[in-house]
Amino acid sequence: MAEESVPEGRSLKELSEEELWELINDNRHRISLGVRPCILLPYLRQVKVLTEVDEDEILSCHNLTNRCMRTSYMLDLLRTQGRNGAIALLEGLMIHYPVLYTHVTGRKPSTEPSRFSGLIKYSELTEYLIRAVTGMQTELQEARNEAGKMSTRCSSLESEVSQLMEQEEKCSHLQTENERLQRHLSSLQREVTKLKDEKCDLYIRYTASIEEKSAINGRLHDLNLQVSFCLKISLRAYQSRDDAQAMIARILAEKDTLRSQLVELQEAVFTLQAKRNPRPRLRKSDKSTPIFSLLLSVSKSSAPPFLVRSRPKAIRVNGRVLSLSLQCEALLSQLSIVGGNKSGVFVHQVTEGGAAHAVGISPGAQIVEVRYEQNSRALRMVLEDSTLEEAMWALGQVTGFCQLSLRPRQNDYEALLQQLQNSTMSSGDSFYIRVNLSLPAGASGTLAVSCNNILHVTNTRPAGTEDLWQASQVHPCQLLDLQSGTVPNYYRLVLCCDVQGSELTKEKLSSQAGRENTRSEQKAVRIVSTGRQGRNPLWVSVDEENTNGTESGSPSPPKSCVTLMPYTLVTPHFPPVCRPILLLPTILGRMLDKKLASWQGFQLCGPGKQCYGVITPHTHLCQYSLDCVRRLHRSEIFPVIIFIGVSARNARKLKSKLQRSGQTEEQLLACSKSEEPLLDKLPCLYHSMAPDSWCDRNSLLTSLRTIIWEEQRKVVWVEPDLW
């Protein structure tokens, strides 16, 4: 303790300089932490142990970054003043830091003049003490005011806490009431669901009654014909007038009986109509009343061509649907639709007072199937995943009596409308196509596209047009839409291709001799060879009961053909590992495979070897031919196909390499010429190197390394298997 370091009976005035500073240094850490230089500096200036320059240096020096460093530096300056510096520091502590003074010296502070060392005159000391006391009183008053404010703030916070507790209690009561209301709402919803189920049963009975009424009307019509015929025959066949009259009476009695049954049935129908809601909403049902039992195919000449895709002949409509029957001249005059293949096709507006409105069709129902009769044939079209363009065409074919299968999806319909209003999407359509011919840019925002471009179609029926699609270019490495615009729809381009197709095909097939001069130009047309054309080409599913029979006079469709198909559907794939590499022509590819296999990260594979079975950082080099590509796709293997264009000049550069492998320049050129036309038959994109892009083996290998790296980053686009 500090008291033990000061001998009893000796005052601070009697201590030597070394004893005073030893006393201060023993408590230097405590002084540095507890003293603010700005408090002691006025007194130290008054007793003339520090100058104004010392004060500025202590308070303003940039090297003294905190209060402890400034206090420590002040002690160092006072040490240079010797005994006076120590006495002045202790007297300053006695005035401003009495508690610290007691800790340092072990003595109680006192303001008696006799306790001061005489470094300052008595009058000046008195004046300084008065100022110090006044300052302390001011600080004390400020501290009291601050304490009063804090007390007021504390009272305010206590009041707020009380209010919050009251609000919490109210919230608890409200939550309890909300839970009670939720339970009540759930019970009401169950009752509403029960009522809707009863209403659906009424609709089903109503539909069955209409069908029964139609059947009775048909029987009455047949009976009237029989009556007329029997009257003529009976009068000639029966010689007895009484027998003829008896027969007529029996027929008329049977007719009256049928009429009475019809009247009773009509009364039952009217009773059901009285029970149903004028504007009923659709309700899901596990039952579906079929109207047609005989399903025949649509004549191919009556249907415009749409995008070809793989789809089963008969598609089952899954989920809970409601089937409604109605009689109308034209279905599209009764309602309008929105949506597309991604969102589904929805009823958007219904004509007030029309047949569709009368049977309970309302906005928000998805049209999944339509059945109708055309030319004495019953037709069925599934619209569950059709585009808006296809749905408009299909519903435009419906006239007379029809049956709609509807699925209530009100939430999805409202979400679609919200997206359309916010312009986040222009329709419910969304699919990707590969362009098979180059199209120049046109007026009104028509996109300029090249052969083998990938487009994202987002609207098949833009406002104000019937033969254009809204589409966007697609980023090669991710599913990102780039430049947007319109392109001619499939039907419009097919009509143009029908006029010019034979000439383009002839030009394509007869231009082999001049191919080397035009390889560097952009490919303009891709001739697509398809097979199994008996498969229905429509996205709209049209079923027939007898798929083996054909119409009389209609020739059987060809099993395969070469046609100008302007667009083909494609789907994106993202392989989880490095894709294998397939180099063409085959002769050149096998010659380069051995060199590429020596590169780090590459390894060779071929028939009978595991090519793509495990996740590995290696890039495989396939020694396969083009006919293996489809088999690899079925195994979820998507090779990078690179066709290296070869000219006579390039072939001469590789003469020595070819001779080592037992090949000649002529064989390489022939292989290139025979394999290049096969590229159009591939269901995926490929990279083609122009002959003038390389001059020797080294430049070719350098280009291949760059191309392989770029192709590995791209999205893989694959066409459906139409062959």
Side-chain angles (χ1 to χ4, degrees), residues 37-80:
C38 60
I39 300 296
L40 294 182
L41 282 173
Y43 180 76
L44 299 176
R45 288 277 311 282
Q46 189 77 23
V47 298
K48 297 182 176 56
V49 294
L50 291 179
T51 64
E52 183 179 358
V53 174
D54 295 333
E55 181 181 7
D56 291 341
E57 187 174 3
I58 292 171
L59 298 178
S60 305
C61 181
H62 295 293
N63 293 332
L64 305 176
T65 58
N66 55 61
R67 179 170 59 83
C68 293
M69 294 177 66
R70 288 191 288 271
T71 304
S72 180
Y73 184 67
M74 182 183 71
L75 296 177
D76 294 339
L77 292 178
L78 291 174
R79 184 71 178 86
T80 62

Side-chain angles (χ1 to χ4, degrees), residues 1-3 27 30-31 34-35 90-110 136:
M1 295 293 293
E3 291 84 354
N27 296 273
R30 181 176 293 175
I31 295 173
V35 173
L90 293 175
E91 290 177 352
L93 293 178
M94 183 175 64
I95 297 173
H96 295 284
Y97 297 97
V99 176
L100 182 60
Y101 174 81
T102 301
H103 280 292
V104 173
T105 64
R107 293 172 172 78
K108 294 182 179 180
S110 174
M136 291 179 182

